[in-house]
Amino acid sequence: MNCFRVIVLIMTIWMQSPILPVYAAVITDQESASHDTEAASVNIVDTYSFSNFRIVQLTLPVLSTYSYLLISDGEALAVDPGRDISVILETAKKENAVIKGVYLTHSHADFIAGHLEMVKILNCPVYQSQKSGAAYRIHSLSEGDRIAVGGASVTFIDTPGHTPDGMCALISGKNSSDAPEAMFTGDVLFVGSMGRPDLLEGNTSAAWLASAAYDSWFNKISKLGDTVTFFPAHGAGSLCGAHLSDEPFSTIGKEKASNPYFRYTRRGEFIAALLEGLPDAPPYFRHNARINREGPPLVDWNAPLPAEISPTASLSDPEKTWIVDVRSASDYSAGHIPNAVNIAIRGRFETWTGTLIPWGVKLVLCGNPQELKESVFRLHRIGYHADVISPDAWKKAGLSMNVTPAIPARELYDLMQKGLAPVIVDVRLPAEWMGLKIGTVLNLPLNQLATLSARLDPAEPVVAVCNSAFRSSLAVGILERNGFKKARSLEGGSEAWIQAGLPVIEPAKPDMPASSGMPVRLPELVSVQTFLTAMADNPGARDSVDIRPPDQFSDYHVPGSRNVAVSTVFSDPAFLAGQAPLVLIDRDGYLAMAVAGILSQKTARPIQVLSGGLEAFWSATTLKMEKKMIPQPSGPAMQQPVPQTETVPAPAAPPVPAKRKSAGC
């Protein structure tokens, strides 16, 4: 599809339905993406074949984890298994492979690992870095150590950064002459990102680990072949890094060209970039890290559901007990135990429980028997234990329940138009809130709501808003525990708001003339010379995004730019946040202008387009530089100097080697 047809398609969609299509993309987040049934179970992503080995990739979407089986000649190595290992065992059996060992890329913090579960069943060794500090028996690994898995050779390299004990595994086949074909990177390298260095407790600073990550990439991983395929321990949605891609694997060459962190070749800038903008780490991380280091207790996965505890009014005392209602938002709003919080099992139940429920408190789960069974099973993944109770038992005891009906989108909108709306609290992350607002609303992120709600009056009504009502329903319980008597959730969240055709901008102010309409923001065309001058005078002050295909980007691109798909630019709210200009770059400027026109209607952030795209940049820099460098004749026959084309000053960013073709420009 050529650029003209793409532009026509984009503008047709925009003009036919000015709100729904574009904003529906914005509200697609990793939270709502993990709400289906499969997301709560380990499942196979794919099987990848190499010279004489295969890699089976498994995922647990609600925790955004990847685990693996390396298989060759009937033998297998399990890599980074979660605590519930049944799917890995079943997969190995189907593959007719005997698991000879389990390898941990590092000390995990976001889940309880299943290495000792595998030792119990298979009596196999645990391969782990000698720096791990493990209190259980391991086969300790050092730089350059090697093991065989069938006909494949696995070589371990020391790659600290996310943690001090991070190790990558390079896999070579019989015909690869020791050159690696694939590798497991754990959390040191993700697709489009790197592991965060701020999760470790103790005397090791985040800056020291970030500096170690710099060395791991620039001195080791980046020096491997560009064709090496790597498989990380996490995908999009993981809190072990920021802005992870949802692609399940990548290559070293692709990351060199597109990973935003590798634009920073100076150590200090790299450290600053890796430490900037990290999300808050859930409190349970440090406890899971300790349990994994000490050795997780074994789990009886076939144990029956615990007997229900006796319903007493004291259970609703927020000072004594945390009650987690695992039912749907609609069931919760129709009636729940007072002060219970709604963490529905249809979403990221484990992560939100570990984020909001303090470690070691008295925890009670509320739901029907099937929901309770699943909840208890899933809490084993993060090391939580809980008692159980059903809503029916509470009702039969004659105890009161709180009813907090969700407010429909149209009803809330009408109240807003009449000036009668309660305080509206958006509980999403700031980047999501910046990307899409239903009006003048207050942003109090859910993970900080218990503290930040002190700004509000608990006697006044409050409406919580998120994308799908999963988080806003949870917020109602948090507010209720803090003494709020009139907390409600927006029914269906922003998704329902948009489906109802309601605007996602503030209503016009009363003193605005009716004929003036809403202001239209337009993108700014930036000439190559202006762009080069800005790069030289203030490098890093612009976020340059190249929306061409990856192969064209890797062939030739503007120094300091990063490669992002058009769909990602539309769907990721992070592109709408910030004060620095967002500069879009394409082949000739036409597609970038269409995309920029749409983005400009959704954000106050300056949106710019490189005028003429890469064709203009090529002509003004690289092509002219090549003309200047053409060898001149020497000797007596040379009487007059050959005229030279005047060159445009090169930017301060690292130069890109000149190409003899336009590279997709």
Side-chain angles (χ1 to χ4, degrees), residues 371-645:
E371 293 166 333
L372 292 174
K373 185 176 181 179
E374 179 181 346
S375 303
V376 169
F377 179 93
R378 290 171 62 179
L379 285 185
H380 285 311
R381 295 169 175 167
I382 59 170
Y384 274 70
H385 303 277
D387 292 318
V388 298
I389 193 171
S390 65
D392 289 341
W394 186 267
K395 293 177 183 177
K396 289 178 180 178
L399 298 169
S400 64
M401 302 187 80
N402 282 2
V403 178
T404 52
I407 184 169
R410 175 61 65 178
E411 180 181 338
L412 179 60
Y413 177 72
D414 289 343
L415 290 173
M416 292 167 67
Q417 299 309 297
K418 297 174 182 177
L420 301 176
V423 173
I424 302 172
V425 176
D426 192 318
V427 298
R428 299 172 301 162
L429 294 172
E432 296 176 275
W433 171 67
M434 287 289 294
L436 174 67
K437 302 178 184 179
I438 66 170
T440 303
V441 300
L442 180 65
N443 181 221
L444 302 180
L446 181 59
N447 61 334
Q448 303 175 38
L449 182 61
T451 300
L452 295 180
S453 62
R455 303 177 183 178
L456 307 176
D457 184 352
E460 294 297 320
V462 175
V463 172
V465 178
C466 71
N467 286 343
S468 65
F470 181 91
R471 284 176 282 179
S472 58
S473 181
L474 203 167
V476 168
I478 296 295
L479 293 170
E480 195 173 288
R481 286 178 59 88
N482 280 12
F484 286 75
K485 305 299 183 184
K486 302 175 183 178
R488 302 173 69 183
S489 169
L490 174 62
E491 186 176 39
S494 299
E495 294 173 355
W497 183 276
I498 292 170
Q499 290 293 338
L502 300 174
V504 291
I505 53 178
E506 286 188 43
K509 294 181 173 60
D511 57 352
M512 179 180 293
S515 60
S516 66
M518 294 301 298
V520 178
R521 298 187 180 93
L522 296 175
E524 176 188 359
L525 269 176
V526 179
S527 69
V528 173
Q529 184 59 61
T530 300
F531 182 75
L532 289 170
T533 302
M535 290 177 67
D537 292 345
N538 193 7
R542 283 167 166 76
D543 185 7
S544 301
V545 172
D546 191 319
I547 59 175
R548 296 175 302 150
D551 58 334
Q552 296 180 15
F553 177 85
S554 61
D555 199 9
Y556 179 81
H557 58 270
V558 170
S561 64
R562 55 177 169 145
N563 190 214
V564 180
V566 173
S567 59
T568 302
V569 174
F570 281 139
S571 63
D572 189 346
F575 288 102
L576 304 177
Q579 301 298 321
L582 174 67
V583 183
L584 298 181
I585 303 170
D586 68 347
R587 181 176 65 85
D588 53 14
Y590 287 102
L591 178 59
M593 181 57 73
V595 174
I598 295 173
L599 291 180
S600 296
Q601 308 313 307
K602 298 158 58 179
T603 178
R605 182 182 188 181
I607 307 295
Q608 300 178 346
V609 173
L610 181 62
S611 181
L614 263 293
E615 287 182 347
F617 187 86
W618 171 274
S619 299
T621 56
T622 310
L623 188 58
K624 288 190 176 182
M625 185 65 73
E626 286 187 348
K627 290 180 179 179
K628 182 179 178 66
M629 296 174 65
I630 294 175
Q632 306 301 321
S634 60
M638 181 62 186
Q639 300 297 325
Q640 298 294 331
V642 176
Q644 296 178 353
T645 305

Side-chain angles (χ1 to χ4, degrees), residues 270-294:
F270 178 90
I271 292 172
L274 198 54
L275 293 176
E276 182 183 11
L278 294 173
D280 292 336
Y284 83 92
F285 273 25
R286 64 179 182 271
H287 300 289
N288 276 203
R290 172 183 53 79
I291 291 173
N292 282 327
R293 188 169 55 250
E294 295 173 352

Side-chain angles (χ1 to χ4, degrees), residues 186-200:
D187 285 15
V188 70
L189 176 63
F190 297 131
V191 180
S193 186
M194 292 197 79
R196 60 190 297 172
D198 63 329
L199 299 181
L200 195 68

Side-chain angles (χ1 to χ4, degrees), residues 343-373:
I343 309 181
I345 57 172
R346 72 179 177 92
R348 291 182 177 267
F349 173 73
E350 296 90 335
T351 298
W352 282 116
T353 299
T355 298
L356 298 175
I357 310 303
W359 188 269
V361 300
K362 180 177 176 58
L363 174 60
V364 178
L365 304 177
C366 179
N368 65 44
Q370 184 176 354
E371 293 166 333
L372 292 174
K373 185 176 181 179

Side-chain angles (χ1 to χ4, degrees), residues 168-171 181-185 221 224 228-231 252:
C168 290
L170 311 180
I171 307 106
E181 299 176 54
M183 67 185 300
F184 298 118
T185 57
I221 299 174
L224 300 170
V228 175
T229 302
F230 76 87
F231 298 91
I252 301 303

